[in-house]
Amino acid sequence: MVALDHPTPAPAATDRAEARMTGRMRLVLVVLLLAQFMLAVDFSILNVALPVIGQGLGFTLGGLQWIATAFALAAAGFTLLFGRVADLVGRRRLFLGGMALLGVSSLAGGLATGPEVLMAARVAQGLATAAVTPAGLSLLTSSFPEGPLRAKALGLNGALMSAGFTTGAILGGVLTDLLSWRWAFLVNVPVALAVLLVAPAVLKESRPAVRPRLDVPGAITVTGGLLALVYGLTVTGEHGWTDPTALTALAVGAALLAAFVLVERRAASPLVPIHVLKRRTVVWGNLAGLVAFVTETSLVFLMTLYVQDVLGFSPLAAGLSFGVLGAGTVLGGVAASRFIGRFGARAALVSGGLLQAVATLALYGLGDDRGSLALLLAATFAGGVGNMLAIVGFMVTATSGIPGSEQGMATGLATMTQQIGITMGTPVMSAVVVTAPVLLDGIGLAVLVNAAIVAAGAVLSALFLRRT
């Protein structure tokens, strides 16, 4: 007779035990989510305040767009580089340094007395975002094991991130109307300070056991390529697809990114190892994420045009109308972990994309009277749920199966996808809108293009991502 040591727990009980967060995990999650939420707010909080800032500091009409563009260039261009730097110097260290830079630059922007100081502060905020976002995301993925816990953490992260974009639009209007545009900067300072006080006691340092060397040629080519690409897309949104400056910048960006791939093939310690770029989950997961961010953030731009310029709502009322979209994204983010646990990340990408595509297509029926507002609210709510399912599915897909030593690089790729998607969506849709002589017709055409891109992303995810 063989003696039995201990009874083996039932699989269901084991799963429940593994899926339970500890108190420390909850603290880590709160700190990281607060930082990511603040960064998301920072993306959109100045949009409503731009005309007032221009009047207060003497910006020209053409110079106003560079308040947003300067931030986007720094945030998108340096994200992949800082994702790798996090692996080299430590993710917690870079996270804390980025939060400190965000607090200082926000204070400088709030106290600015001229365009030069404000632009410098906005660039610094973009650099801080490029550092904090991949470092925070890699701290999150390395703090929670693959499976239900990580899916739940990423779902909450995605929900708060999308809610942050919506909150930024609302908060920017409220602060500008009731206090001053300066508070759109200054509101970051106490939040950054709170994170800096708590995070050192909560977050553990995370870095590979063997520190790799920094791939300088790769860093130069990918950063230069992304900067040129974002700049070209921004100019395209302002002057159209035939503008020589835009075409030159896009060509330079494409050439540098192609050079980056060649450099990585020969580098001893590549910024992004080629074997990672050959992973089906990394390539198609990031492509699906790019589609999700390009389409939803640009849809907010399109609906802002519609609500303000077609229906005649005030900026504050327009911002408040997107609270329904924010509610949809929160619901989608909270439900995403359970959905992925039951059906898988691929199913989340496909079903979320299809739901978003159908909801976006419904917006083609918007008219020029306020009776269309009910359709707008219902469609954006459903689209927000679908978009967040897709975003969490993308984050889980693009960061799963990656060893801990490369989590900073993997999350840097995912964050770069996020930043580029947020940056390029609006100029691309702007270029579509201006092709029609009537604004409502241009918005309708852009809505159709938006829905087609979402549907194509869902179909490609279904075809090329294996079931997991």
Side-chain angles (χ1 to χ4, degrees), residues 16 19-34 140 143-144 149 152-153 156 198 202-203:
R16 285 194 297 270
R20 188 178 297 120
M21 284 193 187
T22 64
R24 184 177 186 85
M25 283 181 173
R26 291 190 179 93
L27 284 175
V28 169
L29 192 60
V30 168
V31 170
L32 295 177
L33 291 187
L34 179 61
L140 189 146
S143 298
F144 296 88
L149 284 181
K152 183 176 183 180
L156 292 171
V198 176
V202 174
L203 301 178

Side-chain angles (χ1 to χ4, degrees), residues 95-149:
F95 176 84
L96 295 175
M99 288 302 299
L101 177 60
L102 185 64
V104 171
S105 58
S106 296
L107 181 62
L111 300 177
T113 56
E116 296 80 7
V117 175
L118 188 133
M119 290 295 292
R122 200 63 177 145
V123 170
Q125 283 186 322
L127 290 172
T129 299
V132 172
T133 305
L137 189 56
S138 58
L139 283 169
L140 189 146
T141 56
S142 60
S143 298
F144 296 88
E146 267 190 47
L149 284 181

Side-chain angles (χ1 to χ4, degrees), residues 201-254:
V202 174
L203 301 178
K204 294 181 179 179
E205 186 56 278
S206 171
R207 65 159 63 96
V210 179
R211 184 179 301 181
R213 292 182 299 174
L214 180 62
D215 174 21
V216 176
I220 293 173
T221 51
V222 73
T223 302
L226 291 173
L227 289 173
L229 180 64
V230 172
Y231 177 78
L233 288 170
T234 303
V235 176
T236 297
E238 184 181 4
H239 300 293
W241 293 98
T242 58
D243 183 79
T245 302
L247 293 175
T248 300
L250 292 174
V252 170

Side-chain angles (χ1 to χ4, degrees), residues 138-292:
S138 58
L139 283 169
L140 189 146
T141 56
S142 60
S143 298
F144 296 88
E146 267 190 47
L149 284 181
R150 184 180 294 182
K152 183 176 183 180
L154 289 173
L156 292 171
N157 180 76
L160 282 183
M161 181 181 64
S162 287
F165 293 131
T166 306
T167 302
I170 298 172
L171 189 60
V174 171
L175 291 175
T176 302
D177 282 354
L178 299 182
L179 297 173
S180 164
W181 63 264
R182 296 183 182 278
W183 282 98
F185 283 95
L186 296 175
V187 71
N188 291 334
V189 177
V191 181
L193 184 61
V195 171
L196 287 170
L197 290 174
V198 176
V202 174
L203 301 178
K204 294 181 179 179
E205 186 56 278
S206 171
R207 65 159 63 96
V210 179
R211 184 179 301 181
R213 292 182 299 174
L214 180 62
D215 174 21
V216 176
I220 293 173
T221 51
V222 73
T223 302
L226 291 173
L227 289 173
L229 180 64
V230 172
Y231 177 78
L233 288 170
T234 303
V235 176
T236 297
E238 184 181 4
H239 300 293
W241 293 98
T242 58
D243 183 79
T245 302
L247 293 175
T248 300
L250 292 174
V252 170
L256 286 173
L257 292 177
F260 168 69
V261 175
L262 296 177
V263 167
E264 297 306 275
R265 290 183 181 276
R266 300 181 180 181
S269 299
L271 197 66
V272 182
I274 294 299
H275 74 269
V276 172
L277 292 178
K278 290 181 178 179
R279 283 179 177 267
R280 187 183 296 261
T281 52
V282 170
V283 173
W284 292 104
N286 277 284
L287 179 62
L290 181 66
V291 167

Side-chain angles (χ1 to χ4, degrees), residues 33 36 50 59 107 169 222 228 241 274 281 289 297 328 387 395 414 429:
L33 291 187
Q36 298 288 13
L50 287 180
F59 275 90
L107 181 62
V222 73
W241 293 98
I274 294 299
T281 52
T297 54
N387 179 253
M395 287 292 186
M429 290 302 159

